[in-house]
Amino acid sequence: MSARVHFTAPGDGPAMDTVDGVHVEKAGADHTGGAYELFEIDLRPLPPMPPRRTPWAKTFYLLEGEMTVEAERERFRLTPGAALTLPADVAHTFTAEAPGARLLGFATGDRAGRLFRAIVAALDEHLDREELVPTLLSVARANDVEFV
C-alpha cells in the first residue's frame, strides 16, 4: 500500500486500552506505506510484565512522567525528552513511575498495531479474570511475541 498524506488532530485517533495503558494510533502502517506506526501512549504505573521479544523495532520518546526500560541487561530511566530505540527481537520490559507516563511509541511495520487490536478484542471477549492471563498469552504468541 502506498503512503499518503495523513493528519491526526490532537485528541483524535483510534484508542486501544491494552491493560498497561491506552495506545492512540496517530499514524498507522496504512498511512506510512507499511514502514512504521506511531502511537501516543498513556502508560499506567503497573508492575512490569516479564521480559519479551517482539519481531518489530521500536522507539520510545517520553513526553511526560518517568519510565524505566530494561533491555540487554541494562536499565534505562527515561524522563521527558529522552528517547530509547530497541531493535527487533531484543528482550525488554518497561514500567511507568506513578502517576504514569505519556510517550510516543514508534514501531516498524504494522505488527504492533495488530497486537494492540488483538488484545482489545480479547479483553472485550474475556472479562473473566481467570481467563485473562491465558488469553493474553495466547494473543501474544499469535502475534510472535515471545516471553523470556
Side-chain angles (χ1 to χ4, degrees), residues 6 8 11-17 22-28 31 39-40 117:
H6 173 75
T8 305
D12 284 351
M16 298 167 278
D17 191 332
V22 177
H23 297 68
V24 177
E25 183 181 283
K26 301 307 267 185
H31 304 124
F39 303 94
E40 182 177 346
R117 286 187 288 280

Side-chain angles (χ1 to χ4, degrees), residues 24-141:
V24 177
E25 183 181 283
K26 301 307 267 185
D30 56 330
H31 304 124
T32 66
Y36 67 92
E37 300 170 296
L38 170 63
F39 303 94
E40 182 177 346
I41 304 166
D42 284 317
L43 195 60
R44 294 183 178 103
L46 301 172
M49 292 182 11
R52 65 227 177 241
R53 290 185 175 95
T54 63
W56 57 86
K58 61 184 68 70
T59 297
F60 300 128
Y61 179 82
L62 198 66
L63 299 169
E64 297 174 5
E66 292 183 21
M67 68 182 285
T68 301
V69 179
E70 291 186 28
E72 296 194 337
R73 298 187 178 106
E74 287 190 64
R75 178 176 276 176
F76 302 92
R77 188 147 187 95
L78 280 69
T79 56
L84 179 68
T85 298
L86 301 172
D89 298 319
V90 168
H92 66 283
T93 188
F94 53 86
T95 188
E97 304 302 320
R102 193 168 141 263
L103 62 139
L104 296 177
F106 298 84
T108 58
D110 68 348
R111 308 281 302 272
R114 281 196 277 160
L115 172 65
F116 300 153
R117 286 187 288 280
I119 290 171
V120 170
L123 292 172
D124 287 347
E125 292 176 18
H126 300 287
L127 297 178
D128 182 355
R129 286 202 176 266
E130 290 181 18
E131 295 178 18
L132 183 59
V133 171
T135 298
L136 292 176
L137 289 173
S138 176
V139 167
R141 280 191 298 274

